[in-house]
Amino acid sequence: MVLIFLLVLLVAGPVSGQDYSRLRIIAFGAHPDDCDSKAGGLAAKYAAAGHLVKFVSVTNGDAGHYEQGGGVLAKRRRAEAQEAGRRIGIEYEVLDNHDGELLPTLEVRRQIIREIRQWRTDVVLAPRPNDYHPDHRYTGVLVQDASFMVTVPNVVTDAPALRKNPVFLYFSDRFTRPQPFRPDIVVAIDDMFEKKVAMLDAHVSQMYEWLPWLDGTLDQVPKEPAARTKWLAEQRSSPALPEWKQALGKWYGAQVASVQHAEAFEITEYGRQPDEAEIRKLVPFFPAQ
Ligand SMILES: [Zn+2]
């Protein structure tokens, strides 16, 4: 009898409650490098602590360059994303939707639902649906549209529905209309800053070619690899912004003064609504109270 009970436990897993010792995090960006910029430090912290992280680029990035494009660029960027994931110990998947043409269609919504379910996700990260770039905007809409549907068994029937709705967080951004980003959770990433830079450094086509070209600074990119990485760290320093200081103080107390680099997240109104005690379990990087 006891044996049968144990077997049932083994097959079914814990009957109630959640395993916070091995969290499963998924982040969606529109392009291969978006998640890295917004949450690379957080992902590195989860991975270093033994949790499981997956980054998903909803488009293949095939428009993100000034002299390359199409399949050749998509292949190059997929390889860059995989190298970026390898450098911090996470999975990285690039979906094969065209860059610059993303729309919040049912087809892509199903892709997102499938990803969240198959990862058996505890926490989802995504952009807010306010942004200068239509692909970013629609990635935000798509994840928002998936946030309830991941629990509905009759939708996307080839991937079992989640019984427990994940917590959905937004990446930080600078947009203020209709409302500014609210820094509910701010995580110090000083201990992972080098890893974050190493991750960004893997996106050569973006960090050293496309983005400087857009900014008109292509001639300032150093040629020598070490100098180039140092330049990148200065360009993308992920500073703890003044408007995050109050939230940082809430989570870090007296340690706030030593925080230089940080990433911030907003708890969306969709999905499970965690209380403070659960946030501390889902984001287990804050000093004890
Ligand atoms: Zn992007």
Side-chain angles (χ1 to χ4, degrees), residues 10-174:
L10 269 178
V11 173
V15 176
S16 63
Q18 180 167 354
D19 180 12
Y20 293 96
S21 66
R22 201 159 166 78
L23 295 164
R24 304 184 66 93
I25 316 296
I26 199 166
F28 293 92
H31 308 111
D33 75 326
D34 288 1
C35 293
D36 317 45
S37 300
K38 297 294 186 177
L42 177 72
K45 287 178 83 78
Y46 276 119
H51 303 292
L52 301 170
V53 184
K54 182 174 186 177
F55 280 3
V56 178
S57 176
V58 182
T59 78
N60 60 19
D62 63 355
H65 207 276
Y66 54 97
E67 61 180 12
Q68 298 171 6
V72 171
L73 180 59
K75 272 179 83 171
R76 184 182 180 200
R77 295 193 67 181
R78 179 170 284 107
E80 289 175 347
Q82 256 134 33
E83 172 62 14
R86 194 193 62 76
R87 289 184 185 185
I88 68 161
I90 67 164
E91 274 199 38
Y92 210 132
E93 182 174 357
V94 177
L95 301 180
D96 203 18
N97 302 303
H98 284 302
D99 184 353
E101 298 182 351
L102 186 67
L103 288 172
T105 61
L106 267 178
E107 185 198 350
V108 186
R109 187 200 294 174
R110 290 186 189 116
Q111 294 172 4
I112 305 279
I113 291 170
R114 216 170 260 122
E115 289 286 345
I116 294 171
R117 287 180 177 176
Q118 287 173 345
W119 193 245
R120 290 183 284 119
T121 305
D122 298 305
V123 179
V124 181
L125 301 154
R128 296 199 302 159
N130 315 306
D131 200 288
Y132 76 99
H133 197 303
D135 291 349
H136 297 182
R137 209 151 56 221
Y138 295 134
T139 297
V141 171
L142 283 157
V143 174
Q144 190 170 296
D145 288 352
S147 63
F148 169 63
M149 289 301 164
V150 294
T151 66
V152 178
N154 275 332
V155 171
V156 189
T157 53
D158 59 1
L162 299 179
R163 289 296 289 131
K164 192 165 187 182
N165 207 346
V167 171
F168 288 76
L169 303 179
Y170 289 134
F171 298 137
S172 66
D173 63 60
R174 62 183 167 77

Side-chain angles (χ1 to χ4, degrees), residues 187-221:
V187 179
I189 59 157
D190 292 295
D191 56 342
M192 293 293 156
F193 183 64
E194 270 182 40
K195 279 205 158 186
K196 178 171 182 175
V197 173
M199 179 178 217
L200 294 171
D201 173 72
H203 296 282
V204 172
S205 70
Q206 304 301 291
M207 299 301 143
Y208 305 125
E209 297 171 18
W210 174 230
L211 297 176
W213 184 87
L214 281 173
D215 293 340
T217 57
L218 199 53
D219 58 337
Q220 294 169 26
V221 180

